[in-house]
Amino acid sequence: NMAISERVCSIVAALSTTNLFEVKLAIIEHEIAVNRIIECMYRYPQNSHIQMAGSEIISLISVDEYIMSDIAGLGGIDRLSTAMQQHLDNSLVQEKACEALKMLIPGVENDILMGNDVGKWIIVSMRRHKENSKVQIQGISALFRFPLFIR
């Protein structure tokens, strides 16, 4: 159910924002939780709340290369790229997706980044939201984390 998925994503996103390492660790240790978040993003691409919350969760739990690689392997990069494409006019989705990409890029294979046109969608987002400083900051931060030969 989309309404339930939206609420669950919002709750997990809220829990992820805590500074308590134990809470983040609990979310990360349960690969099923991460898988479910990405699954919700796949199932409801049209729901901006799920895309925004999913992006925020991905951003907050991307604490090491193993987790980043795991998220990418579960389709996280694809979901973020798709969220940016389908919610071009939603600056909050764009901001959160750029922030999540900023966190993930260092731990993701280059072919996954290129295959999902990540750089292109970041630039499209920044052009679309020229006046939004948060989108600009997160977008440029993500682009600076790209490997040099992809830029």
Side-chain angles (χ1 to χ4, degrees):
N1 181 315
M2 186 166 57
I4 293 171
S5 294
E6 188 176 315
R7 287 189 181 130
V8 169
C9 284
S10 295
I11 290 167
V12 175
L15 288 172
S16 299
T17 61
T18 182
N19 287 331
L20 295 175
F21 181 74
E22 294 81 17
V23 174
K24 288 184 183 183
L25 187 61
I27 294 168
I28 293 167
E29 284 182 341
H30 291 61
E31 188 174 314
I32 293 171
V34 176
N35 195 10
R36 292 278 189 245
I37 297 302
I38 293 171
E39 186 180 302
C40 284
M41 292 176 78
Y42 267 111
R43 189 172 290 159
Y44 305 109
Q46 74 285 3
N47 186 301
S48 62
H49 296 290
I50 289 174
Q51 300 306 312
M52 190 171 33
S55 297
E56 187 170 16
I57 294 163
I58 289 171
S59 173
L60 292 166
I61 65 171
S62 296
V63 295
D64 67 28
E65 288 193 15
Y66 172 77
I67 294 165
M68 294 173 200
S69 179
D70 196 33
I71 290 169
L74 291 169
I77 297 293
D78 174 65
R79 286 299 86 206
L80 294 167
S81 181
T82 300
M84 293 178 82
Q85 293 171 51
Q86 292 196 354
H87 300 278
L88 278 174
D89 293 324
N90 188 322
S91 63
L92 285 173
V93 171
Q94 299 301 315
E95 174 194 341
K96 296 300 181 184
C98 283
E99 185 175 13
L101 288 167
K102 172 186 77 177
M103 298 305 294
L104 283 176
I105 286 170
V108 175
E109 298 287 326
N110 296 332
D111 58 333
I112 293 173
L113 297 171
M114 292 187 303
N116 285 287
D117 291 326
V118 170
K120 170 189 169 184
W121 291 110
I122 293 170
I123 291 168
V124 167
S125 175
M126 291 175 69
R127 284 183 179 156
R128 189 73 155 239
H129 300 278
K130 292 177 187 168
E131 310 303 318
N132 188 310
S133 62
K134 291 179 180 179
V135 172
Q136 297 300 312
I137 290 167
Q138 296 304 333
I140 199 73
S141 297
L143 289 173
F144 274 122
R145 296 188 106 181
F146 265 83
L148 285 176
F149 64 88
I150 292 181
R151 290 188 217 168

